[in-house]
Amino acid sequence: MDIPTAEAIIPVAIHEQDDYLCDVKQVVLHDVMKAARNAYNDAIRAHCRHCYKPFTPTVLRDLTTHEERCHAWAWHLVSGVDSPLPESLLTLIAKRFAAALAASPPIPSTGFPRPPRFDFLRFFPFPQGHIEIRKLPGPPRRYILTSPILRSSWCTLDMASTAVGDRAFSLPPEDLPLTLALGWNAPPDAPHCRILAELAEDRRLIHSAQMEAQADGLRLRLRYRRALHVTGAEAPV
């Protein structure tokens, strides 16, 4: 039996001891999230130009299942947009776009999925298998989020240079490792801590997540598998 999913929305911040380096990373991260939003919406625009035409694109002609077609079409469109993002992050955006296509009803005249809604939030996607939550040592209930994509290839040095100029050279030369602290200036509240403790214990319960930028900071929209009752900290999906 499938375990139902629930969603928790938790404030997050960059986990970095060096205030100057934290500021640099935050500027770069917001530019990356803006580029992710633009790439996603540009792929939707490209889909709109094709989905009402009564012919099958070459990239889809040898594919039979709906899921295969959505994934192939999503990558075809996302990889074709003009974006400064590295391929590793474009791949994650394509997975998110493919899921949106798969959930859209077909257009009767062509069979193509209807265009998904545009996303006007700056975002950073974390598909299944790309998230790890760990508890920091010490009595305060503090948790951090790490991800393979944040440890190496979430940004390029060219993007960092465009965002912060010469300050980009204060970043590590090999990569731009990034860790997120769950909670802004204080630990998460008790209901969220209970959820995070379970997810830190068993990462298989983590379904997916999306980091979003707001005027007052960053938030994590965390979806996870949960068979227990729903509390005020979580919403059924």
Side-chain angles (χ1 to χ4, degrees):
M1 183 180 68
D2 291 337
I3 298 177
T5 59
E7 188 176 82
I9 299 176
I10 304 172
V12 296
I14 294 175
H15 181 68
E16 173 62 61
Q17 300 300 322
D18 187 320
D19 289 341
Y20 172 75
L21 193 55
C22 180
D23 179 60
V24 171
K25 288 184 177 182
Q26 180 151 308
V27 173
V28 178
L29 177 61
H30 277 266
D31 266 26
V32 169
M33 296 171 73
K34 180 180 178 180
R37 177 197 64 190
N38 291 344
Y40 184 81
N41 288 341
D42 285 347
I44 294 176
R45 294 184 181 97
H47 179 65
C48 291
R49 292 193 293 269
H50 291 87
C51 63
Y52 294 100
K53 297 178 180 179
F55 68 89
T56 302
T58 304
V59 69
L60 302 180
R61 287 178 182 169
D62 295 330
L63 303 177
T64 56
T65 70
H66 181 61
E67 183 179 11
E68 288 176 334
R69 291 166 66 89
C70 287
H71 279 277
W73 186 237
W75 173 244
H76 175 73
L77 295 181
V78 171
S79 62
V81 303
D82 182 15
S83 175
L85 294 173
E87 183 175 324
S88 55
L89 188 50
L90 288 175
T91 300
L92 300 187
I93 295 170
K95 289 181 178 179
R96 182 176 185 263
F97 186 39
L101 289 175
S104 295
I107 298 170
S109 59
T110 65
F112 263 95
R114 293 188 183 278
R117 293 182 178 180
F118 289 102
D119 194 333
F120 297 106
L121 289 174
R122 289 169 290 172
F123 71 89
F124 195 105
F126 296 100
Q128 187 173 357
H130 285 75
I131 311 164
E132 180 180 353
I133 293 172
R134 293 192 287 117
K135 185 180 184 300
L136 294 176
R141 299 169 301 182
R142 301 306 299 260
Y143 293 86
I144 59 172
L145 182 148
T146 61
S147 169
I149 192 70
L150 292 180
R151 284 196 288 268
S152 59
S153 51
W154 66 278
C155 182
T156 64
L157 189 56
D158 286 343
M159 286 196 71
S161 299
T162 300
V164 295
D166 292 341
R167 290 196 297 169
F169 295 104
S170 65
L171 295 164
E174 296 299 327
D175 52 29
L176 310 174
L178 190 65
T179 302
L180 299 175
L182 297 164
W184 284 336
N185 299 319
D189 56 26
H192 281 148
C193 280
R194 179 175 58 80
I195 295 168
L196 294 174
E198 294 180 8
L199 300 182
E201 184 71 22
D202 188 356
R203 61 181 299 184
R204 294 172 301 177
L205 295 176
I206 303 173
H207 183 273
S208 60
Q210 177 170 288
M211 183 166 54
E212 300 170 347
Q214 295 184 300
D216 57 350
L218 301 171
R219 69 181 183 186
L220 185 72
R221 190 178 295 274
L222 180 63
R223 184 176 296 181
Y224 57 97
R225 297 179 177 87
R226 185 169 178 80
L228 302 180
H229 65 278
V230 176
T231 72
E234 54 196 15
V237 178

